[in-house]
Amino acid sequence: MDPITNPYAPGAGQRPPELAGRDEQLRTFDVVLERIARGRSERSIVLTGLRGVGKTVLLNALRSSAVRADWGTGKFEARPDQRLRRPLAAAAHQAVRELGHPRSDEVDQVLGIIKAFVLRDAPTGAKLRDRWQPGIDVPASTGRADSGDIEIDLVELFTDIGGLAADVGKGVAFFIDEMQDLDPDDVSALCAACHEISQSGLPVIVVGAGLPHLPAVLSASKSYSERLFRYSRIDRLPRDSADRALVGPAAEEGCEFTPEALDEMYAVTAGYPYFIQAYGKVVWDVAPTSPITAEDIRVAVPEAEAELAVGFFGSRFERATPAEREYLRAMADAALVGASEKEGAGEGDAAAEGEAAAYVRDGVTEREAVPTSAVADVLGRKPQSLSPARDALIKKGLIYSGERGLIAFTVPHFGRYLRTQS
């Protein structure tokens, strides 16, 4: 087919395949917006899942819903090397501007508080020219959100922004991607601010997205965090949604898939949205005519997997040190399930949570999570000696620990990729 009209290419203008099957999350968010607009108390939202399941795309879709509801919005991506004040201040600045409050003096007052909040990020004694300037053309306020204690300051900032939004009958939503990378003190402050806002009934919510261990990060920060957030696990797509993600964009270009081709696509992608898009792009380019057949899929698989090996898997593997790569390979080997353990594992099915969860591909059964002791056994080392490599990989976002003593890859099928590398 014509590569120029490829509906699965990034930026192709079609509905993103990653968003298929997320109608429940979109409907729930619309209800949350409506409840808050009516003065009802609602929890903030946390989306969790592996890389490639479409969390960022869904986060952007939720933000679009908030914009359509005439809310003020701001979005940023957390980074391990950056504290919260700067990106949150930029997001707050944008959200306040979007509110369209008619009283410029009240808007300027809140903007001055945002400026004071971010200027506390500068080191003590820093000269004015060395301070980061947020681009807010009003003087910084004093005595509000500028104590230097991030928890106190964030509560005051959210309170004042919420009051401004309530004046015009609107709300403010902050969208935070890679939320697990926030500094622990910032996580604690964010939980405290969400708690205060919930208690006061002000129209401010946080919508975060992160890796599967994000709920554990929040719980470790504040014991009451489970009451603050509505958790939604974003997983691979069920078969019907995965088919729609392929059939819908193709139909708009006058193309069809045979039932056998859809079977083959689900077998190779396992329903992961990123893989659906990656394989779909290559299949579209190699298929000569409509309908796309199972043979077209088989022809496209090597090229698609070669692209994934470089851009999706390889780029992450390259970030690891030699010792960390050794640990990753040992994880991949430890994840393999022996013949006596395969009973009950169905083709293409994910089992229950934890160590028992496994999937099958190409006749190979692989655990989703493995014991750290099993990794140590593969390497012939003591588990304690491997802690530095494990902790470094967690910080780099390559693995996560959702349960004590268990670890898993943050990237689907990463173990399979590692076992194909020399």
Side-chain angles (χ1 to χ4, degrees), residues 171-194:
V172 168
F174 293 104
F175 298 84
I176 308 175
D177 206 358
E178 303 294 346
M179 193 173 174
Q180 75 282 340
D181 286 337
L182 288 173
D183 182 88
D185 288 342
D186 293 337
V187 172
S188 179
L190 197 62
C191 289
C194 288

Side-chain angles (χ1 to χ4, degrees), residues 259-277:
E260 294 77 16
L262 293 174
D263 291 342
E264 193 74 18
M265 280 294 280
Y266 197 74
V268 297
T269 65
Y272 286 105
Y274 186 87
F275 293 159
I276 291 172
Q277 186 171 22

Side-chain angles (χ1 to χ4, degrees), residues 193-207:
C194 288
H195 180 66
E196 181 65 25
I197 288 297
S198 176
Q199 294 293 310
S200 62
L202 289 172
V204 176
I205 60 168
V206 171
V207 184

Side-chain angles (χ1 to χ4, degrees), residues 29 33 61-73 98 175:
F29 188 63
L33 294 178
L62 297 181
R63 184 183 182 186
S64 296
S65 295
V67 170
R68 289 194 297 272
D70 213 18
W71 279 43
T73 67
E98 288 180 357
F175 298 84

Side-chain angles (χ1 to χ4, degrees), residues 120-133:
R120 290 296 305 187
D121 192 50
T124 303
K127 296 181 179 179
L128 182 61
R129 66 173 180 271
D130 297 326
R131 294 173 181 263
W132 182 75
Q133 297 298 316

